[in-house]
Amino acid sequence: KAHPFYGKEALFVGDSISYGSYDTPPTYRNPSASWARRLAQTTGLIPTNISYPGASVGDTGLKNVEWIYNLLKRQMRTSIKKFDMVVFHGGVNDARQDVEPGTMLPKDTDYNTLKSAERTKTFAGGLQLMFHDTRALWPDAELYYVANFKLVPGSVKDKDMNAYFEQAKLLCAEYGVHYIDLYDDVELYKTFDFESTDVLPDLIHPTSPSYDI
């Protein structure tokens, strides 16, 4: 109960890794799987996990690819909770679907411009719109963005994630969002071998012990 997260209402929104795909039973397909469940167990926060497999930060326009902003807006329209924390994750599916990284616009940019189709079809545009709307609805919430651990080049169409995460860093600084950097975490890779199928069976999704790490 002494942990600063204890009793805090926390919203998790992202893709399959935030959702908990490949997390083993009884957590697989549990809405509090992945990091949400582990943080709940170790800190006492109260998780709501609306992450969805295959979701992207930028709007791909593809019917079979969920847009993370839509997940967030549905929660905003229906939720009676006032969240103390919001944890964002995403970007891998943007690289896999050839979504352009895009560029951040100033914080005071007209809202109609921020939500224009030209903007939201990019990674930076989608993430900026999410940060803007979350700050507007829950101004006192602590916001976090998790930059995904590295993946073998073939799993993201021979791309690295640098261009996406550079924009994420700028946006986090602009909107006061905590940037959780798994991508460049040297210490993480001492125990987390992203090129091993024992750690990532499909070279994308972690096993349960890998989620623990």
Side-chain angles (χ1 to χ4, degrees):
K1 291 184 178 180
H3 197 284
F5 289 176
Y6 183 82
K8 297 289 181 68
E9 292 283 355
L11 178 66
F12 292 76
V13 56
D15 59 27
S16 57
I17 293 170
S18 179
Y19 169 84
S21 293
Y22 282 56
D23 208 353
T24 53
T27 59
Y28 182 60
R29 297 200 179 281
N30 182 324
S32 295
S34 187
W35 305 311
R37 179 179 69 87
R38 288 160 175 78
L39 284 167
Q41 290 177 328
T42 57
T43 72
L45 62 75
I46 303 166
T48 298
N49 191 351
I50 61 170
S51 302
Y52 193 86
S56 61
V57 177
D59 185 5
T60 65
L62 300 172
K63 292 182 179 180
N64 63 334
V65 178
E66 187 69 66
W67 186 23
I68 295 177
Y69 179 71
N70 283 340
L71 301 173
L72 179 65
K73 291 301 286 187
R74 283 198 290 269
Q75 182 68 33
M76 288 177 165
R77 287 194 297 268
T78 60
S79 180
I80 60 173
K81 293 182 179 181
K82 179 181 178 182
F83 288 100
D84 304 297
M85 303 165 59
V86 182
V87 182
F88 299 93
H89 174 264
V92 171
N93 292 311
D94 294 76
R96 297 179 76 198
Q97 297 291 346
D98 294 319
V99 173
E100 290 295 324
T103 56
M104 181 188 79
L105 292 180
K107 195 174 182 180
D108 59 358
T109 298
D110 177 74
Y111 186 62
N112 287 330
T113 300
L114 290 183
K115 66 178 184 178
S116 67
E118 183 180 1
R119 286 286 304 158
T120 57
K121 69 182 180 181
T122 69
F123 170 85
L127 193 61
Q128 184 160 12
L129 188 59
M130 286 194 284
F131 286 174
H132 176 280
D133 285 11
T134 305
R135 275 276 174 249
L137 184 60
W138 300 306
D140 298 324
E142 290 284 333
L143 307 187
Y144 299 81
Y145 174 79
V146 181
N148 201 77
F149 48 81
K150 291 179 181 177
L151 298 173
V152 294
S155 64
V156 287
K157 293 190 176 181
D158 295 320
K159 296 178 180 179
D160 61 42
M161 297 293 297
N162 288 315
Y164 298 91
F165 293 147
E166 283 305 316
Q167 290 302 312
K169 288 177 187 176
L170 293 173
L171 285 162
C172 285
E174 183 77 359
Y175 286 86
V177 178
H178 301 282
Y179 184 79
I180 310 299
D181 190 358
L182 302 185
Y183 190 73
D184 289 316
D185 188 337
V186 175
E187 290 300 313
L188 173 67
Y189 298 119
K190 291 179 180 178
T191 53
F192 188 94
D193 182 0
F194 68 94
E195 296 182 320
S196 168
T197 53
D198 291 332
V199 175
L200 304 173
D202 62 350
L203 298 178
I204 298 175
H205 301 98
T207 61
S208 284
S210 301
Y211 275 116
D212 291 342
I213 294 171

